Amino acid sequence: MTKYLLVLACMLPLLTGCGQPLRLDTARATRTPLVTATARPAPGTTATIPAVTRPAPPGVDATATMPPVTATPSPVVQIVPQTARPLTSEERWRAEQLNREVFDPPRLYRATRRVTLFWYDPATGQALEIGTLMGDFPVQARFRLRSGGATALEVPYRINNDFGLTAISDAVRLRMEAAGYTISVEAFLLESDAIQAP
């Protein structure tokens, strides 16, 4: 029993020290940065790396140094994001047309009662009313409108000239000019039972 008490007495100071925090001598500890910043040479110039001293093999002068090495700067890579080219008015109008079927030469259709002639404003995506027409008119294409899905007939229209529509709204005319149309536009009619195909 005495033997066990003696062993326990020897181990007691060791066990009591386990719960204490580890003491470090922080006064002597120094911090070394892992990465150091270096200045980059200006484009078109070269950088000189300072001479480096290496341990000399036996029989060689230990004070000798390597000659300076001239490094050429690595090329700078510039990434320029490719931005989409803005669509023209005509490209926006074509994007609104699905399953476009072109008539060459244009076909002569007939409206048996008054039907509305529209113009698609590519800046806003709105169909604006130009006026109404009745009688014969040329159709240069047939398509389905992306917005709404209605079938439409494309009609060439000389601004303030064709189909008796010589005094269209100034607001519509100004929007046509803003979209780049000053002489003529591609107008359209919605296909209906009032329109007869040739």
Side-chain angles (χ1 to χ4, degrees):
M1 178 81 173
T2 312
K3 189 167 148 187
Y4 291 115
L5 285 175
L6 184 60
V7 171
L8 187 59
C10 290
M11 290 183 63
L12 190 61
L14 293 173
L15 292 174
T16 57
C18 290
Q20 299 296 320
L22 181 63
R23 292 184 186 166
L24 297 175
D25 185 8
T26 57
R28 288 188 356 202
T30 59
R31 294 175 57 185
T32 304
L34 297 176
V35 178
T36 58
T38 57
R40 216 175 176 177
T45 63
T46 59
T48 302
I49 299 173
V52 177
T53 304
R54 296 187 180 173
V60 177
D61 184 11
T63 60
T65 58
M66 296 281 297
V69 178
T70 303
T72 56
S74 59
V76 178
V77 178
Q78 291 184 347
I79 299 173
V80 179
Q82 198 170 25
T83 55
R85 178 184 61 82
L87 297 177
T88 64
S89 295
E90 186 175 347
E91 287 170 335
R92 287 187 189 133
W93 170 226
R94 289 290 182 263
E96 178 62 21
Q97 302 174 18
L98 301 174
N99 305 325
R100 180 180 168 86
E101 177 189 1
V102 177
F103 302 142
D104 188 20
R107 297 178 183 173
L108 201 60
Y109 280 65
R110 182 175 187 78
T112 57
R113 61 178 183 268
R114 294 214 167 269
V115 290
T116 305
L117 183 66
F118 296 98
W119 172 70
Y120 177 81
D121 183 356
T124 62
Q126 295 175 313
L128 305 176
E129 184 177 333
I130 296 174
T132 59
L133 62 87
M134 195 169 92
D136 296 338
F137 57 92
V139 173
Q140 61 190 22
R142 183 175 185 263
F143 55 89
R144 196 166 44 85
L145 289 169
R146 182 179 298 278
S147 54
T151 304
L153 302 170
E154 189 175 81
V155 178
Y157 170 67
R158 286 180 300 154
I159 299 169
N160 276 338
N161 223 330
D162 292 337
F163 317 119
L165 301 173
T166 57
I168 65 171
S169 161
D170 285 340
V172 172
R173 192 177 41 77
L174 288 173
R175 285 170 77 168
M176 288 175 176
E177 285 179 19
Y181 301 107
T182 55
I183 297 171
S184 65
V185 293
E186 292 176 345
F188 67 95
L189 301 162
L190 297 179
E191 211 171 52
S192 70
D193 59 354
I195 297 173
Q196 295 177 347

